[in-house]
Amino acid sequence: MRKKRVRRRVGTVLVAAMLTAACGGGEVGDPDAATGQTLTIWTRAATEAQTRGFVEAYNELGRNQVELTVVPNDTYLQQVATAAGGRSLPDLLGADVVYARNFIRHGFYTDISERLAETGLVEHLAPAHLDAGTADGAHHAVPHTLDLSLIFYNKVLYREAGLDPEQPPTSLPEMMAHAEAISALGGEVSGTYFGGNCPGCLLFTLWPMVWADGGEILTADGTASAMDSQTMGPVFQAYRDAFADGLAPASAAQENGISWLQPFAEGRIGVAPLGSTMLRLMPEHEGLEIGVAPIRGMAGGESTFVGGDVLGITSTSTKTAAAWDFLSWTLSADVQREVLTSGGDVSVRTDLEPTGPDGVGLPDERLRTFHEVVEVGRVPTAINFGATFNDPQGPWLQFARSAIFGPESVEEAVASFRPRLDSSLDVAG
């Protein structure tokens, strides 16, 4: 469906891009770039839809042709490492934003600082992503796709529980109070849900609750944990109490992310933090009317985990000018609107307003909420992020499960696992 939509809009994108290029702006590619070349690009399966949209629209321009390879999420790092070892990386390489620093550290990307500065777009790109793609003051990768963590709530269940469907929770304790009211409806309905056996789900949704109140997850250089009983402890305790009180179904304890979306999409969950890209994957129905709101902390601040991918030109590419033509073209205003915002995704540019479904008109107000939280969002960076936090065998998942499901207390879990987190993050050994 999305593929057809993109194709229908190619004509609009083509005209818009050509008009902008004719004005001589640096936003749309490099007017001196070589044409008629074939470029290769790799993307994770998780961001295939957006990357494919960019590739199909760009190929219609006829300047160069981009060949897309979609790699399963679970094998992406291994495939990139193997290709780097054989100096066979693609011309353009996407990366989960949390791995960007690691890719830069290993020399996978070329420095695009001068080219990016010429576009005048630096101050308009999602700051958390841009920072993750920057090392020692040099830009190596730019924001490509964004996936934000936000509170999703079902207005149908809010009404049935006597809650105001236009008043989403303004703090984590209030979110759990709403969940308790909705859980009291009984039957197959539960107040909340979470991926209790999914390391990525947990960090994506729980860490913003710490940032919202000014807490930190990692040290500035990403080589040690900043989580303790004063920062992460209250968040874990809130989830521990909610699960013990039955506000979440028992299946949450074993949810590994595969069916994380399903209970909410079926209209059985009242309120839960999810990802912004999930909105377009969940059609509303009689039992589901979706409201969204920023993730809140214990004291009511707000934040978000700015996930998604960055994109850079690899250091082994021999077609840098043509690759920059594609890369910079994806950042142009018209392309951002046509490929991203009109389809319900979030623009990587903070100076652009969301649009209606055809790229014009009034936007879905929920998309406006998505765009508003980009500038307060965070991207944690650490060289050993994957092994520490995303690996199901890593210390983070064991820590979170211990803190939420016991048998030891939250304080005991923090004391037990903090050294393991620090040891895993300390790449210097």
Side-chain angles (χ1 to χ4, degrees):
M1 181 68 72
R2 182 178 178 82
K3 188 174 182 179
K4 293 179 179 178
R5 178 179 61 75
V6 169
R7 284 178 171 166
R8 286 198 300 271
R9 291 174 178 152
V10 160
T12 304
V13 174
L14 171 62
V15 172
M18 291 180 68
L19 287 174
T20 309
C23 294
E27 292 187 359
V28 183
D30 181 350
D32 298 323
T35 58
Q37 299 193 33
T38 299
L39 301 165
T40 53
I41 182 173
W42 286 6
T43 190
R44 297 184 300 144
T47 50
E48 175 186 357
Q50 295 90 343
T51 303
R52 187 176 297 281
F54 283 123
V55 168
E56 291 182 350
Y58 180 81
N59 286 345
E60 290 291 332
L61 297 174
R63 295 170 63 86
N64 299 290
Q65 290 296 302
V66 181
E67 295 180 347
L68 172 65
T69 297
V70 180
V71 181
N73 297 348
D74 294 343
T75 61
Y76 198 75
L77 291 179
Q78 179 181 359
Q79 188 159 327
V80 169
T82 300
R87 297 190 62 79
S88 58
L89 287 168
D91 297 297
L92 295 141
L93 180 65
D96 186 327
V97 64
V98 298
Y99 298 138
R101 288 283 174 81
N102 206 12
F103 281 22
I104 296 170
R105 178 173 180 258
H106 284 91
F108 294 168
Y109 289 131
T110 193
D111 186 342
I112 56 173
S113 299
E114 291 186 9
R115 293 176 184 273
L116 185 60
E118 291 173 356
T119 68
L121 292 176
V122 172
E123 66 182 30
H124 299 308
L125 298 178
H129 266 222
L130 188 64
D131 180 65
T134 302
D136 298 325
H139 298 296
H140 294 269
V142 299
H144 183 54
T145 64
L146 303 186
D147 186 13
L148 312 167
S149 53
L150 293 103
I151 295 296
F152 280 49
Y153 65 102
N154 186 344
K155 293 185 178 182
V156 174
L157 295 181
Y158 264 59
R159 294 190 189 94
E160 292 178 3
L163 300 169
D164 185 344
E166 303 308 321
Q167 296 296 323
T170 57
S171 68
L172 177 55
E174 189 174 29
M175 187 188 96
M176 292 308 184
H178 289 185
E180 183 175 11
I182 293 166
S183 188
L185 294 173
E188 294 185 345
V189 170
S190 293
T192 191
Y193 193 64
F194 57 96
N197 200 30
C198 170
C201 308
L202 288 169
L203 66 88
F204 185 57
T205 56
L206 269 59
W207 289 8
M209 296 172 183
V210 174
W211 295 327
D213 291 337
E216 293 292 343
I217 297 295
L218 296 170
T219 56
D221 62 3
T223 60
S225 171
M227 289 182 275
D228 55 28
S229 294
Q230 282 69 50
T231 55
M232 202 72 217
V235 174
F236 277 146
Q237 190 65 54
Y239 271 78
R240 185 185 184 98
D241 292 344
F243 187 75
D245 292 342
L247 305 189
S251 59
Q254 299 306 322
E255 176 57 66
N256 61 8
I258 293 177
S259 57
W260 183 31
L261 179 63
Q262 183 177 349
F264 187 89
E266 292 176 351
R268 296 187 283 115
I269 302 298
V271 56
L274 297 170
S276 59
T277 58
M278 296 176 181
L279 181 62
R280 57 181 168 76
L281 300 176
M282 293 190 295
E284 293 185 324
H285 50 79
E286 184 178 11
L288 178 65
E289 183 181 344
I290 302 171
V292 300
I295 287 181
R296 303 289 187 169
M298 295 296 295
E302 64 181 56
S303 189
T304 183
F305 192 121
V306 189
D309 284 16
V310 295
L311 183 67
I313 301 170
T314 63
S315 56
T316 57
S317 175
T318 59
K319 305 169 184 174
T320 305
W324 173 251
D325 187 67
F326 172 80
L327 190 71
S328 57
W329 175 86
T330 67
L331 300 175
S332 59
D334 292 313
V335 177
Q336 286 284 306
R337 293 191 183 99
E338 295 296 335
V339 177
L340 292 182
T341 64
S342 65
D345 289 307
V346 183
S347 173
V348 302
R349 287 179 52 166
T350 58
D351 61 327
L352 300 181
E353 292 288 329
T355 60
D358 295 322
V360 296
L362 295 175
D364 184 327
E365 283 302 316
R366 296 170 297 188
L367 299 183
R368 194 179 299 281
T369 301
F370 293 171
H371 281 72
E372 288 174 351
V373 300
V374 169
E375 293 200 65
V376 300
R378 302 277 297 271
V379 176
T381 54
I383 297 299
N384 213 23
F385 191 97
T388 307
F389 297 115
N390 272 340
D391 187 340
Q393 305 305 316
W396 159 249
L397 182 58
Q398 297 176 52
F399 174 31
R401 287 188 58 79
S402 178
I404 296 174
F405 304 115
E408 62 269 60
S409 69
V410 171
E411 290 74 17
E412 290 169 339
V414 171
S416 174
F417 282 93
R418 173 72 181 268
R420 302 186 204 182
L421 291 170
D422 289 345
S423 178
S424 181
L425 287 167
D426 184 6
V427 293

